[in-house]
Structure formats: structure tokens, C-alpha cells
Amino acid sequence: MSLEKKERLLKISILRFDPNDPEDFPEMETFEVEEADGMTLYIVLNEIREHHDNSLKFDFVCRAGICGSCAMLVNGRPTLACRTLTAKLDEHITLAPLPLFELIGDLSIHTGKWMRNLNEHLETWIHDKENEMNFDKLEERMEPELADEIYEIDRCVECGCCVAGCGTIQMRPSFTGAVGLNKIARYHLDPRDKRSDEEYYELIGDEDGVFGCMTLLGCQDVCPKDLPLQSKIAYLRRMMLKTSMKN
Amino acid sequence: MKVIYTDVLIIGGGLAGLRVATGVKERGHDAIVLSLVSPKRSHSAAAQGGMQASLANSKMGEGDNEDVHFSDTIKGSDWGADQDVARMFTHCAPKAIRELAHWGVPWSRVHRGTREAIINAKKVNITEKDEAHGLITARDFGGTKKWRTCYTSDGTGHSMLYAMDNKAHEQDVEIHERLEAISLIHENQKCYGAVARNLMSGELVAYVSKATTIATGGYGRIYSVSTNAIICQGIGQAIALESGVATLGNMEAIQFHPTAIVPVGILTTEGCRGDGGLLLDKDGYRFMPDYEPEKKELASRDVVSRRMTEHIRAGKGVKSKYGDHLWLDITILGREHIEKNLREVKEICENFLGIDPAVDWIPVRPTQHYSMGGIRTKYTGESQTMKGLYSCGEAACWDLHGFNRLGGNSVSETVVAGMLVAEYISDFLDSKESDMTIHSAKIKSFVQAEQEKLDKLLSHENGEDAYVLRRRMEEIMMEKVGIFRNGIELKEAVDELEELLLRSKNIEVFRSKSRAANPALVNAYRTQKMIKVALTCALGAYLRQESRGAHSREDFPARDDENWLKRTITSWPDPQQTMPSVSYEQINIETMEMAPGFRGYGKDLTKHHPMTALREQKVQNITSKLEGEGLDRFAIQDAIMPFMDKLPKKYREINERFGENI
């Protein structure tokens, strides 16, 4: 790296809109920020808020790529802003909120509400009515490989990127989306969840579920956690098909 | 005025808050959780390395039990912890982890047979028993005698939080998301809920409840660089403080984690060193064995952070434009291990540093990480001075951690304290004591007071810029209330923070005048609160003339049990005060199970209390007498420091454990 390296002047265009203000209308606003070493969009947006416009709305929590709060469209592509290094982008960067979710303002969206509805619909928790737990006793055993496999797909952070990247959901808003299908795959894999194949079929065995997916697989392309969404959706399809044949 | 009534208001939707919610629900009480963010985004999710529970399933955990976990915790705390609380905690940790297993956490499991591991930079073979196959396994962490830290790869907090939130969902716990509690509603030393602000609409809501729990996590963000999520700003502690009634404990007890990446301060788990990673200096030299020949990289966190700082001060740091740092080398663990057990670390290295930790060394330095201090409570989680106000998890000073928390004990505390405090709250709700007597006019006055404060911030002209004040506060904490502290700098910190506090009364919200979602307004009122919290921390540190755990005074290097075996208690009885009130709570040696001793790091400089030797002798006498009579470890422990009757009945059973009590 040369010592006289000149920092770039980044042009950050942000889609601004405050739905709480009846007089406001959506428009792009551009800010200029001098790039620094190791700069992420988290740093850029905070700098804009602190030095240019303190009304700018966006969501960060962990700022480490762990919590899934900060998903947005970066140059049109859904991704986690906190771990996006500006060095990897052109000097003109456009930012917009993820589509499909309720807008709180500017880049801030209500993914939490959407995900909660989804979880409610799919009942994403362990269903085990018979097995009374006794926490004084040794825990139930689990094959180590199976535990690892469950963890692998339990890593979803509910950021919403797969939803924003989904072609199907654009046309069919009631579609479960990869985030929901992945959760069903997770619980189906887990022997602690006692739901039957038929019960799962009830949840996702239709066009709003796994049969609605057009296999465009934008979800897989944009998932920041590199979850194996493609193979999980394929697996669920086979499973659901089997269940429907059985009945 | 919008008023919402409930039995239990829980402020904070992380692991601790959610566990309280499910607990009180199960006992038939209503609960509402207020959360700044969707609960699954809480900072609990960022806990990487694991949760301590003495299951003793794995080979390297053999012989572990509650006694060993207790002793590690007390030593780690530098004898600052409440020993009853530590006993209750170590007894319940195995129950909590099994409960979470039942609720869906995919804990990593023991695999029978021989595998290779790295211990002290050498490859060793570890052979797991056939009978242990499939039970929950554990890894090594700093300051522990046994491998006790249970984990799911390095996403433990994530898995725990998701399972917990899902459980809360199943139980229909009401979650009010993007709501921030900004003051407590109280009368006659009794808490009746909180005034909360909707962060989307700006609306103020009075949540009126019989019991209120603050589970808002730590206050790391009063420092300019912290591993904490940006929402860990100490607002929970601040509203307790501003009540004028509730008290805070040991606010000066701040932990610095040895290995956060430079410059952004994101954590890389202690599991890196637990699994065999090394700390190296600018010459690639492994320096920790020189300082701590026994525990080396796996000494307690406070010790490692100090040794690293000393080593940097000795000129051995790696120069960078962001200041000096050291290296964390996990390359010796091999790619396969990293990609399976340290995958978050790998992602963080790739995304924020552009390096591959299977090949490259990671630039690290000690960074603010954990708040041992917090809302001072009884063992029941209830404030010592305000009826009906509870706190648990990192927000509280319960006091499990004293002056230094062991890695893996914090997520463990969240769920253990959560399940216990839920029972004590439920008992309180089942009693007449919880009957409400507050008038609606009184409730209204609390809402109005908050509305006036917000109006003032929005209408003020020619005032101060909140960002300027906040950044200065963060710098002061960083520079003068850090890893090594001294009287001169601490005095400067206290004086300057007091000045900032005065200036903060005059904050103006520039430009952004919206009453709805308005980040500038949020920053303004939070800054006012944060400066108060920073003052409790700096003043407590200035007054404490000794070194204990993470509180290290260059001008008072010895731990001084004779004068300072006590907790710092701060409060803010009069809103016009510009400095917190300070008092002290004695820690009684006469009832201790483990009298204060030497932790085993560096030279023993401790000024012992005369009572210590007497208590030690007494404990020894009881132990040898009862051992002679053939009593088991439980009976002996009970004779020395009984704690069982403090526990809720359902949690008193003895734990079954691999190879014990089966």
C-alpha cells in the first residue's frame, strides 16, 4: 500500500421516507463521506447520522454480523450492512430498505413483527407434550453428528435477506419463504420435536409452502449465513411428496 | 394517557428477561416483555463460547461438580461474590442447561473414542468413554479447574436465545417490541411499573404492574470501544438510579475481555484459547507462560487482560494506526476444527479483517466486555431498597461475579437467575404484599414528567450537542477508568464527568424535531442517563483504594480485605445532585464457605482480614469432623454454609451427573 494513498470520497445515496410524516414523500438523498481504512456501512451510516443528518433511521444492534438487524439493499442486493466493507464497493453506493417488510422510516424496517407472525404460524418450537422433563436427571442423549446438523440450520438470524431476495414472495405475499421452510427442516430433523409428517404437511404442503417455491433460489444467493437453503427446500419437497402419496 | 396493566412487567427481552417471563407464566401470572429490539436480536445472541454447568460428561470434565464450579467462581470473583448466590447458581446450572436441551438447544455432544486436541500448544489424545456418548460435552475456558463450558459451536448465545424466545412464544408471552422504559413508576419505596416510549411512534405508555423486572444487560457502551451490542447503554441501571430509591452495586467492576479484534472491538471467544489458541507478541513470541506459568493463556480474564497490557507497555505490542495490539494465533487448531467449532470467529475475521484465521494471526487487544456491577438485589433478585422491583442477568448485581466474572458464567447466570427470580416473583404475586395501592393520578404524574423532559429537549435552543457530550464521556471512561486505574486520573474522570452531567441538562435536539421515530431525540435522553451511570462507575473506582479482580489500582496494588471487603452502593436520591451518593455494604467473612484466599496469579499482595484465619480454621474443623463421621459432601457443605432453604422448592433436588448420584 502506498503511503500517499488518497482516501476515496464515498457518495452514499439513501432512500429516505418517514411514513409517520403525512407531508413526506420517498426520495433519494446523497451524502458524501470520506472513506477510512476498514470502514463498514455501520461506520458510514453512523457518521452520516452524527455529522450530516441526525434524523436518519436505520437498525444496528450487534454490529458484528450476528443478530440480523441491519439487513438492507446495498446496491440493490439484500445483505447485512454492518459487515459490508466499503472497500469492496464502488465509491457510489445506494442504500434502500428491504422490500416487503413494514417500513419504520428510511432504512429501518419491522422484520421482528414479520418473523414473529411466521414463527407463530409455523409454531417454531419443540412440540413434545408426552415427555415430562426432569431436569434433575441426566439429559437425553443425542448423536453428536445430529446435534451438529441441527445447529447448522439453526444458525438462521431472521435477517429477512432471503425474503427480500425471493421471487415467489413478490407475487405471492402469503408464501412462507426460505426462512420458514428452513425452520421446518430444522424441527423435522430434531427428534425432540414429536410432530408427525402429516402435521408438517398441514403447515407447508401447499402453494404457500414448499410447493409454491419457483426454485429461483435468490434466497440461497443472498443468505449471509450461507445456509444450505437449496438442499433443505429440495429435501422438504421430497418429504412432503412422500407424505402426500402415503395419504 | 395510555395505560397497560399486567402482573409482571419485564424490561429487556434477552435470555434473562425471557426466562423470567416463561417462569411467571408457568405459575399462572401475566407477563409483558418490553424490548428495544426483536428479542432474538438481543445481545445474548452474541455470546459465543458457551455456558458453564458442571455436568462432568466429557473426559476433561471428569470429577467436576457444584463444589468445583463454586470454588472457581469465588476465586474468579476475587472473593467479591455473594457465596450464597454462587452456591444457588452452581446448584441450578445443570438444571438450566438440561431444560434448554429439552427446549431445543442443539448442544454439542460427547463423541465416544479418541480424538486429537491441542493443550498448551501440544497435540494430545483424549479418549471419551462409551457410556458418555451423546451427552452434552464441554470445552475449556479461563480460570476453571475442569472443562465445564458447554457449547453449540461458537454460537451458544444464539442457540440459547432462539430456543428461549421460541419457548416464550409457545407460552404466549406478550412481547412489546421497540419499546423503551424511560422511568420507573413508584411510590413509598414500591415499584408499580414503568413509563415506556414507543420508538416507532414516539407515544408514551404507562405500564402498570405488581412486579417489575429490569433485565436490560450491561452498560458497556459508556466506553468508546466495547464488545457489547450498541444497545447495551445502561439505561436499565439509569432508570433504577433515577428512581432515587433503588441502588446500584459495584458499578466500578468492569471486565475487559482479552481478545477483541482491532480496531472495531468485536469479540473473538475465549473458546479460541480454551481450544488451544495462543497469544503472541510482535516477535511471534508466546509471552503468557512468562507471566502466568501455570494457567498461561487460560488465566482469569482480568489477569490475561492486565498481562497483555503490561506486555504492550513493555514495547512488545504490534504497532498499527489504531494503536498497539497483540496476536491471537488459532492456526494450530487446524481448519477443520475452526470451521466446525469456531465458525463465528472465522466469519468475523473474514468480514471485518479480511483474513483467514486458519492461516493468519488475529490482531487483538483487551476491550471492555462485561458489567459485573448493576442493580443491587437480594438473592431473590429483588432490589434491596425498592419493593416489587426485580433485576437479573447482567443488568443486576446479584452478586455472582464479584469483581471478575468467569467466562461462560454469564449466559449461565441469565437462565439460572431467570428461572429462580421467576419463582420469587411468583411467590410475591401470590402474597398480599403485591396488592396495588397507587392512584391513577400518581401514574399520570410520572408520564407527564417524562413528557415534559422530552418536550424540553425538543424545544430547547442554543443548547449542547448530545453527541459531543457522549463521545467525551466515552473517551474519559476509556482513558481514565480502564484496565489499570490510578487516583489522579480517576479524580479527573469524576470531575469532568460531573461537568458533562451539568452540561447534559442543557442538551438540544438539533434539526430532527419529530416526536415519532427520532434517533436524535433518543440519543439526547440516553446521553443524559448514560453520563449518570458513568459517574457511578468512575466515582466508585476512585473511592475504592485497593485492587480486586478487574478493578486494578496502580497506586493501591494490593487487595485489601481489612478495609475493602465490601460492595460499593450508589444511589441518586435527589435529582438535583450532581454526583451519586455512595455507601458500602460489608461482606461478612464469618458466614463464608470459602474464606478469602490467594487466587494464584502473580505475587500474593493481599492484606488479609483478621477474621479470615479464624473462619478458615472453623471451616476446616467442621469438614474434618464430619468427614470423620462419614458424611457426604452435601451434608458437609450444608453444615458450613446452608443455602438450600433459600432456593425455591422445585429446584432443591440433588443433580444426577455422569458417574454420580445416579
Side-chain angles (χ1 to χ4, degrees), chain A residues 139, chain B residues 53-57 61 64 94 97-98 136-137 148 150 657-658:
Chain A
E139 63 274 14
Chain B
S54 60
L55 298 180
N57 292 328
D64 198 11
I97 195 169
R98 286 168 180 164
I136 296 170
T137 192
R148 187 187 300 126
C150 307
R657 157 178 297 109
F658 185 58

Side-chain angles (χ1 to χ4, degrees), chain A residues 99-101 114 118 162-179 208 212-214 216:
Chain A
L100 295 160
F101 298 96
W114 196 94
L118 174 80
C162 63
V163 177
C166 175
T168 306
I169 216 164
Q170 307 275 351
M171 292 182 283
R172 185 191 288 280
S174 53
F175 179 57
T176 301
V179 53
D208 283 342
C213 169
M214 300 189 297
L216 298 172

